[in-house]
Amino acid sequence: MGGPRFEPVRAVRAYERVVEQVEEAVESGALSPGERLPSERELMVQFSVSRSTVREALRVLQARGLVRSRPGDPHGAEVLPFTPAALHKSMTTLARVEELSLAELVQFRMVLDSAAILLAARLRTEEQLAEMGRAVEAMRGAVEAGEDAFGAADVAFHDAVVRAGGNKLIEICTDVVRSIVLKLIAERIAEAPDREALMRRSIHHHEEVIAAMRAGDGPLAARLSRKAMYDYYAGYVEECERGALRALLE
């Protein structure tokens, strides 16, 4: 039979509609940080819903970092300014709920790291470059100390790179993706028989990246970084998915 095809609709609870309208007001600028929503009683009247519905909506909005609310507050919930922590929490939830594959997460990290390095190669200061060098020296000193100390020094290196690039969104996304990826493979890394060799290879790759950045060659530094991440993570990714990572090496 011809004609349009329709999709099933999802039943939407009343509190979700309340949340949607408040979010739209914040996003459009109708509500600004520091302003307050009407009291619970006034919200009940405006939305024509029960007190429990209003409180559930406020609970969700507070969990998302949009408002600060106390039940029964006569002044109403306060609209909060945007914070990186709110985005960090949202991205972490997205990555877990959507059940993204390790390959997808590693691929995204390769893209983010490349972008951060391209920016850092252009914008970094000598002090920031020195900070990266100190992080690599800490990695070298941590080889004997174990995975935890080495991992902390490695994180310090990548954090220094991202800060030098100056993009807050890349910084947040990198932090989220890195933490999720490491949690997924932590046990396998700890049990790897060639763990020390992996550490020393990682140090060498970082030194190559720093050298390229010092020379002002951002594209080379980014390419070296993608190759280093592929070498490090490919063994933990299913063979059938490695092509998605190799695509970034070309």
Side-chain angles (χ1 to χ4, degrees), residues 6-242:
F6 300 105
E7 296 181 358
V9 296
R10 181 178 66 89
V12 180
R13 297 178 180 177
Y15 81 85
E16 293 179 304
R17 290 299 190 196
V18 175
V19 169
E20 287 175 2
Q21 289 194 48
V22 174
E23 285 181 330
E24 287 171 3
V26 172
E27 291 168 1
S28 68
L31 280 173
S32 302
E35 292 185 338
R36 289 183 175 271
L37 299 179
S39 66
E40 287 185 0
R41 183 177 295 278
E42 181 59 27
L43 289 174
M44 289 166 58
V45 172
Q46 290 190 30
F47 288 113
S48 295
V49 296
S50 67
R51 185 181 298 275
S52 62
T53 296
V54 167
R55 288 188 172 177
E56 180 64 13
L58 292 174
R59 186 191 66 77
V60 172
L61 290 166
Q62 181 161 283
R64 294 180 183 178
L66 288 175
V67 304
R68 178 164 46 232
S69 172
R70 289 179 299 171
D73 186 349
H75 302 294
E78 180 186 0
V79 178
L80 298 176
F82 168 80
T83 63
L87 180 58
H88 191 292
K89 185 174 182 179
S90 296
M91 284 196 62
T92 301
T93 300
L94 175 65
R96 288 174 178 159
V97 170
E98 294 296 325
E99 297 181 347
L100 300 174
S101 71
L102 177 60
E104 289 172 311
L105 290 165
V106 171
Q107 187 183 50
F108 187 38
R109 189 179 172 196
M110 289 169 72
V111 170
L112 289 171
D113 202 66
S114 293
I117 286 175
L118 283 170
L119 288 170
R122 177 69 64 89
L123 302 174
R124 56 85 182 170
T125 65
E126 286 301 318
E127 173 53 33
Q128 288 169 329
L129 197 64
E131 183 182 5
M132 297 173 208
R134 289 193 293 271
V136 172
E137 285 305 312
M139 291 171 67
R140 196 188 315 280
V143 169
E144 301 298 333
E147 187 66 35
D148 288 344
F150 183 88
D154 181 55
V155 168
F157 170 82
H158 288 286
D159 284 349
V161 170
V162 174
R163 282 196 299 272
N167 187 297
K168 196 67 177 178
L169 187 58
I170 291 178
E171 183 176 350
I172 296 167
C173 293
T174 298
D175 184 41
V176 173
V177 174
R178 177 178 61 212
S179 64
I180 295 172
V181 168
L182 291 178
K183 284 179 182 177
L184 288 174
I185 64 174
E187 286 188 12
R188 295 165 69 182
I189 290 177
E191 295 171 357
D194 57 346
R195 187 173 53 175
E196 183 174 331
L198 285 173
M199 292 180 184
R200 296 194 183 282
R201 189 155 61 243
S202 180
I203 291 170
H204 176 68
H205 286 318
H206 286 25
E207 289 174 331
E208 288 183 323
V209 169
I210 290 177
M213 292 177 66
R214 180 176 288 110
D217 194 340
L220 173 60
R223 199 158 55 247
L224 288 168
S225 174
R226 291 194 299 272
K227 179 64 166 60
M229 284 199 176
Y230 176 83
D231 290 346
Y232 191 84
Y233 289 114
Y236 303 107
V237 173
E238 296 294 333
E239 176 63 38
C240 61
E241 294 184 305
R242 290 178 193 169

